[in-house]
Amino acid sequence: MRILVTDTLADSGLAILRAASDMELDYRPGLKDAALLATVAESDALITRSGTAVTAELVNAGARLRIVGRAGVGLDNVDVDACTARGILVINAPTANIMSATEHTMAMLLALCRNIPEAHASVKRGEWNRSKFLGTELDGKTLGIIGLGRIGTRITVRARAFGMTVIAYDPHIAPSVFEKSEVESVSLDGLLNRADVITVHTPLTDETRGMIGADEIAKMKDGVVVLNIARGGIYEEQALADALNSGKIAGAAVDVYVEEPPNGNPLLSAKNIILSPHIGANTIEAQDRVAVQTAEMVIAALRGSIFVSAVNLPFMGLDDPDAPPFASMAEKLGLFAAQIISGPITGAAVELWGIDERLTKIISVAALKGMLNLHLAEPVNFVNAEQVAHQRGIDIEPTAHPVPVDYANLVTFRASSATDEVCVSATLFSEKNQRIVSVNNFRVEFKPEGYVLYIINKDVPGVVGKVGTALGDHEINIAEYNLARNASGGRAMAIITVDSALDFEAITALKSIKAVEEVKQVKL
Ligand code: NAD
C-alpha cells in the first residue's frame, strides 16, 4: 500500500511510515496540480498538513484512495463531504496540541501582565525606562475560565501553581469535573462579576459566537484582564476593542481572530493588547505529536482498524454489516437525548433487546458519541467517546436482553442530569429505516432526521390547532405530527417534524400558548 505525503512532516512521523514493511512511502512535499492528481491516483493514503487543498477534484482523482490523514486539527483544507461520499476515511490529530495551547495561554497571560512585548521593544530601541513598565502579579487573583474542557482543566492546574483562585463557567459539564479539578462552578454572570482575569476555552458554536459582547463586558470588574486563545469570534471584537480603549478592560491577549489574518480588525489598534498570529498549537512537541499520531493512525486504518481518530466514516474495517445501521441509530438517540434534557448530563445507560451482544459495545459508544458531539470543540469519535465521557464524569452502562419485547429489535438510551431524566428508544425496521418509538415513556413513531420539535403540554382541547397556527404564522411547514399522552386530561407530548429550523420568535410563539409547558427544538 502506498502512502503519499504532500506537506513537510516531522521526521518522527516519517520514520514510522518508513518502518512499516507493508507500506511504501512517497514523500513529495510541495507536490501540486497535475503531478499531484496523477500521483494521488496511485496512492492508498494521502497525508497533508495545511499546504495541500484536498478538494473534491483531488479526492475523485484518487481511485485507490482510502484514507486522508490531516496532520493537525483543522479540516479547512479538506473537503470532508467529498471524502465521505467516496467512503474515504478522514483522520486528524485533534489532541496533539492541547498542551501547547495551554502553555501559550499562560505565556500570553504572563507577557500581558508584565508588559513584556513592549518592554522588550523599548530595550532594543536603546531606552531604559523602568517606571513605564509597571506590571501586576497573578498571585492572589481570581481566574475565570469559560469552558472547562481539555485546555480549561489544564489551565486550572497551572493557574493554581501561580497562586490564583480558579472559578469556571461550563453549563455542559458534570459537577464531578468541577469537583475533580477543585474549581468552583459559577454562572456566567458570577464569573464576569468576580474574575480579575477571564480566559475563554470553548469551541466556536452558535451558542459561543459573540458570547462576550458589550453587555457582558459591562458586568466585568473594572481593570479586568481577558484572553482569547480559543477561537476568533467568541468575544465581539469591536466591543473588546472599545473596552480596551476606554480602560474598562486593562489588558487583552489574543491569538485568534474572526478573520485570519486580521486585516482592518479593531483589535490591531486597540490599547493594552498583545497579539499573536494563531500560534497556540505551534510547538516542536505538538508538531512531533501530530506527525507521530497521524502516521500511526494512517497505518492502522490501512490495515483495517477503526480505532483511529476519524472524523467521518467510523465503520471502515469493522467486518460486521449489522453494526453501521445500529450504530447510526444509537448515535441519533444520544443526540436526541442531549437536546431535550435539562442541565448537564451526569449519567447514561444503554439497553438492547433482540440485538446480538457483539454489537453492545459499538452501539453504546455510538450513543455516547451522539450525545457528546453537541457541545465539544473537536468531533468525538469511536476511539475517544468513552474516554471523553469519562473525563466529563459519565460512564455508560450497557445491558443486552437477548429476547425481544414489542419490537424485533430495540435500543433504549437513558440520560440523566441532576434535575432531569430522559429515556428514548428506537428500532430498526430495515437497514436504512430507523424509527424512534418511545420518548420518556410516551409511545411515538418518527424518523430521526432533520428538524424535530419536542413539545410537552397539558392534555386539553385545542392545543394542536394553536401549535399548527403558530407554526403556519412563522412559515414553518409541518412534515409529520406525532401525538401521545399518558392519560386523558394529563400531560401530552407532541413530536413534530418540520421542514426548516424555527427562529427565536417562532419558539417563543409556541412557548406562549397557554397549555404548552415545554418546547425544545432538536436537530438530528
Ligand atoms: P474541549 O472540547 O475539550 O472543551 C470545550 C469546553 O467548552 C467543553 O467542556 C464544553 O462543555 C465547553 N462549552 C461549550 N459551550 C460552552 C458555553 N456556551 N459556555 C461555556 N462552556 C462551553 O476543547 P479544548 O480542546 O479544550 O479546546 C478549547 C478551544 O481551544 C477550542 O475552541 C479549540 O479550537 C481552541 N484551540 C485553539 C488553539 C490555538 O491555536 N489557539 C489550539 C488548540 C485549541
Side-chain angles (χ1 to χ4, degrees), residues 97-98 101 146-152 169-173 201-205 207-208 211 229-231 234 255-256 278-281 375-378 392:
N97 61 26
I98 289 167
I146 300 178
L148 197 60
R150 292 174 299 206
I151 295 173
Y169 166 67
D170 190 330
H172 305 301
I173 203 156
H201 298 285
T202 69
L204 184 65
T205 62
E207 203 180 83
T208 62
M211 81 184 286
I229 313 296
R231 278 286 171 264
I234 298 174
D255 185 48
V256 288
H278 201 153
I279 53 169
H375 298 296
L376 297 184
E378 304 304 338
R392 299 174 73 81

Side-chain angles (χ1 to χ4, degrees), residues 393 427 512:
T427 187
S512 64

Side-chain angles (χ1 to χ4, degrees), residues 189-475:
D189 279 1
L191 183 144
L192 298 173
N193 283 324
R194 281 174 54 192
D196 303 301
V197 177
I198 295 175
T199 184
V200 293
H201 298 285
T202 69
L204 184 65
T205 62
D206 287 347
E207 203 180 83
T208 62
R209 186 173 284 107
M211 81 184 286
I212 310 290
D215 291 347
E216 289 70 28
I217 291 172
K219 293 175 187 164
M220 293 178 187
K221 278 184 170 177
D222 291 343
V224 63
V225 163
V226 304
L227 294 99
N228 186 3
I229 313 296
R231 278 286 171 264
I234 298 174
Y235 291 86
E236 278 176 17
E237 290 177 333
Q238 187 62 55
L240 177 55
D242 291 346
L244 282 161
N245 293 333
S246 73
K248 165 78 188 176
I249 293 182
V254 174
D255 185 48
V256 288
Y257 311 86
V258 171
E259 249 180 59
E260 296 182 355
N263 292 323
N265 187 314
L267 294 176
L268 297 181
S269 52
K271 284 191 209 160
N272 301 323
I273 189 163
I274 65 171
L275 306 171
S276 55
H278 201 153
I279 53 169
N282 280 22
T283 62
I284 292 167
E285 290 81 359
Q287 307 254 322
D288 252 16
R289 231 176 271 134
V290 154
V292 168
Q293 287 180 4
T294 309
E296 284 176 348
M297 286 189 295
V298 166
I299 291 171
L302 279 176
R303 289 178 182 158
S305 169
I306 62 153
F307 296 105
V308 293
S309 175
V311 299
N312 56 355
L313 285 182
F315 305 114
M316 191 177 166
L318 187 76
D319 195 16
D320 192 330
D322 288 338
F326 275 114
S328 145
M329 186 172 81
E331 206 172 326
K332 296 275 179 71
L333 288 177
L335 185 60
F336 186 88
Q339 292 177 84
I340 63 167
I341 197 163
S342 302
I345 296 177
T346 51
V350 164
E351 276 188 83
L352 316 181
W353 281 269
I355 299 169
D356 196 312
E357 258 190 66
R358 72 184 194 285
L359 299 177
T360 308
K361 182 77 170 179
I362 194 152
I363 289 176
S364 64
V365 174
L368 279 182
K369 182 169 175 271
M371 181 191 92
L372 289 166
N373 261 324
L374 204 58
H375 298 296
L376 297 184
E378 304 304 338
V380 177
N381 57 44
F382 277 78
V383 185
N384 64 5
E386 280 185 308
Q387 192 192 8
V388 172
H390 182 71
Q391 282 160 0
R392 299 174 73 81
I394 305 161
D395 289 306
I396 196 155
E397 302 158 25
T399 321
H401 310 275
V403 184
V405 186
D406 291 345
Y407 296 91
N409 61 70
L410 191 77
V411 179
T412 293
F413 180 68
R414 287 175 217 280
S416 53
S417 71
T419 53
D420 200 5
E421 216 170 293
V422 164
C423 171
V424 202
S425 301
T427 187
L428 207 57
F429 287 153
S430 64
E431 195 193 303
K432 291 200 173 118
N433 225 337
Q434 310 168 349
R435 289 287 190 287
I436 293 189
V437 291
S438 156
V439 177
N440 290 341
N441 299 324
F442 286 103
R443 278 185 182 251
V444 286
E445 196 189 306
F446 65 99
K447 284 188 187 174
E449 286 170 7
Y451 293 103
V452 172
L453 293 172
Y454 164 87
I455 299 180
I456 297 290
N457 59 273
K458 289 193 191 78
D459 184 26
V460 293
V463 180
V464 175
K466 284 179 191 152
V467 168
T469 306
L471 291 175
D473 287 345
H474 290 85
E475 311 218 314

